[in-house]
Amino acid sequence: MTATYPADENERPGRIMAGEMAEQPAMLRRLLGRGAPAIRAVAAEIAARAPRFVLLTARGSSDNAALYAKYLLEINLGLPCGLASMSTTTAYGAKPDLRDVLVVTVSQSGGSPDLVASTRAARESGAVTLAVTNSPDSPLAAVSEYHIDIQAGPEKALPATKTYTASLLSLYLFTEGLRGRDGAAAEVLPDLAEAVLARRDEVRALASRYRFAGRMVITSRGYGYPTAKEAALKLMETSYIPALSYSGADLLHGPLAMVDNVSPVIAVVPEGRGGEALRPVLDRLRGRGADLFVVGAGPRVEEASAGFVLPTAGVAEEVQPVLEILPLQLLAYEVTIARGQDPDAPRALAKVTETR
């Protein structure tokens, strides 16, 4: 099916998502400028309380941002982290001892009942609670002891784009603040993000390869793994293509058997240790004859069937996820448009998902 569009640009499918993706460089600049001091202040207060463990609570795209925070906290601060199972408190009524535990709840809207209830229960159980949201007046912010406003501005498209990258940058600045640093490595991101998003025609050409895909596999390692999970979510919720995301290590433990030369594989290859750890996985994928699309470091892209070279040379590996997801957001958008669907309004979804 070939997409056809109304003459009125205001009715064009995907215009809201496209506009919000384009806002990301300005949003990153705003967060680095106006938002960073408040984030550092929150981080300093929490650091003074010396939490010994971190629980991260989230759903959907925010869950992928929380996974990114897990890598930051464990690698850079040596703080053990877990991803919370909210149903233990909301459905089973468990009352864990959370003294000296930092509970970070990430939510774009701050309105999902299970996030609010589990955060309230965590605070009543002695935890230090921090909400990271795009809504400072939300119920989640109200029940949390501390709050970080990601300052992404209103997001109307159902697929999260700018709130995801805003969450990543906010969590990076927060973890840097915990160790008394200013997060200077992120200063390069707005200009680089602008350069990546300007290559939309390049992604549109790549999208034609995947218009009729029946299934996709997305893989990475290290800091790139949350990007793989978020890219899979974007493809599924916009184009309805089943997209399976795996750590490169997990892919070799069984799922590699389903890889063939028909179903495309997207590999997110960071510049740094994560990319090096992924090298044997890429070798195995090529050996399987996979249709391999690489996003990331230049040399790895050149060895693949197709790819998108990111401007990450000299960029700290821990902030590269902010750039890695951008061409994959564009890819999800362009594949959806090519399939004659509207990425602004995926079927059966609502902006605030009220899980309990």
Side-chain angles (χ1 to χ4, degrees):
M1 183 192 307
T2 301
T4 58
Y5 304 120
D8 185 353
E9 182 66 23
N10 290 329
E11 297 180 6
R12 184 185 178 99
R15 67 178 180 82
I16 302 174
M17 182 179 176
E20 290 173 353
M21 287 190 292
E23 291 177 30
Q24 290 176 102
M27 175 275 297
L28 295 171
R29 290 189 184 96
R30 181 169 63 248
L31 195 51
L32 286 167
R34 192 171 69 200
I39 295 173
R40 282 195 293 269
V42 168
E45 286 194 38
I46 292 176
R49 298 175 68 169
R52 291 292 304 139
F53 190 87
V54 181
L55 276 176
L56 297 152
T57 307
R59 298 284 192 200
S61 288
S62 294
D63 201 26
N64 300 326
L67 180 59
Y68 166 70
K70 185 177 190 294
Y71 277 90
L72 289 171
L73 290 160
E74 290 188 342
I75 293 170
N76 294 326
L77 285 96
L79 276 173
C81 298
L83 298 176
S85 299
M86 283 171 277
S87 62
T88 60
T89 55
T90 61
Y92 291 92
K95 298 185 182 299
D97 182 354
L98 297 179
R99 288 172 294 179
D100 300 324
V101 174
L102 169 62
V103 172
V104 180
T105 306
V106 187
S107 172
Q108 298 149 30
S109 68
S112 186
D114 58 348
L115 295 171
V116 175
S118 62
T119 301
R120 181 187 294 111
R123 189 169 182 182
E124 291 170 353
S125 297
V128 178
T129 53
L130 167 66
V132 180
T133 82
N134 195 39
S135 181
D137 298 324
S138 63
L140 178 60
V143 301
S144 301
E145 187 174 358
Y146 297 99
H147 177 255
I148 286 174
D149 181 1
I150 66 173
Q151 299 191 27
E155 188 174 59
K156 296 180 180 179
L158 286 176
T161 54
K162 63 179 182 175
T163 54
Y164 179 71
T165 49
S167 296
L168 295 185
L169 181 54
S170 296
L171 289 163
Y172 170 73
L173 293 172
F174 170 68
T175 57
E176 287 293 280
L178 287 178
R179 57 181 185 155
R181 300 191 178 187
D182 61 4
E187 295 293 335
V188 300
L189 293 176
D191 289 346
L192 294 178
E194 200 160 48
V196 170
L197 290 169
R199 295 160 62 188
R200 182 170 165 180
D201 288 346
E202 184 180 338
V203 177
R204 185 179 295 119
L206 287 167
S208 65
R209 294 174 62 94
Y210 310 117
R211 178 180 171 188
F212 299 109
R215 181 186 68 201
M216 300 183 79
V217 174
I218 308 177
T219 188
S220 189
R221 290 204 68 179
Y223 288 112
Y225 180 42
T227 306
K229 291 177 69 66
E230 174 63 10
L233 177 59
K234 283 291 150 293
L235 282 162
M236 287 189 287
E237 69 182 351
T238 56
S239 69
Y240 317 142
I241 296 174
L244 309 174
S245 58
Y246 295 99
S247 156
D250 287 332
L251 185 63
L252 298 184
H253 282 263
L256 183 68
M258 71 177 173
V259 173
D260 52 29
N261 61 357
V262 176
S263 298
V265 178
I266 298 176
V268 180
V269 184
E271 190 92 31
R273 295 186 184 183
E276 288 303 309
L278 198 61
R279 180 177 295 188
V281 181
L282 300 179
D283 293 340
R284 291 286 298 276
L285 288 168
R286 284 194 297 270
R288 296 280 302 169
D291 178 357
L292 181 61
F293 171 38
V294 168
V295 174
R300 300 268 78 90
V301 171
E302 293 164 7
E303 298 169 4
S305 307
F308 188 99
V309 179
L310 286 171
T312 50
V315 178
E317 185 177 357
E318 57 262 38
V319 298
Q320 290 178 32
V322 177
L323 302 175
E324 291 165 354
I325 193 57
L326 299 179
L328 295 167
Q329 290 175 347
L330 290 171
L331 181 69
Y333 172 90
E334 294 294 348
V335 169
T336 304
I337 292 294
R339 289 164 69 97
Q341 296 153 196
D342 185 356
D344 284 343
R347 62 194 183 204
L349 297 182
K351 192 61 182 172
V352 180
T353 304
E354 296 194 354
T355 47
R356 295 182 185 275

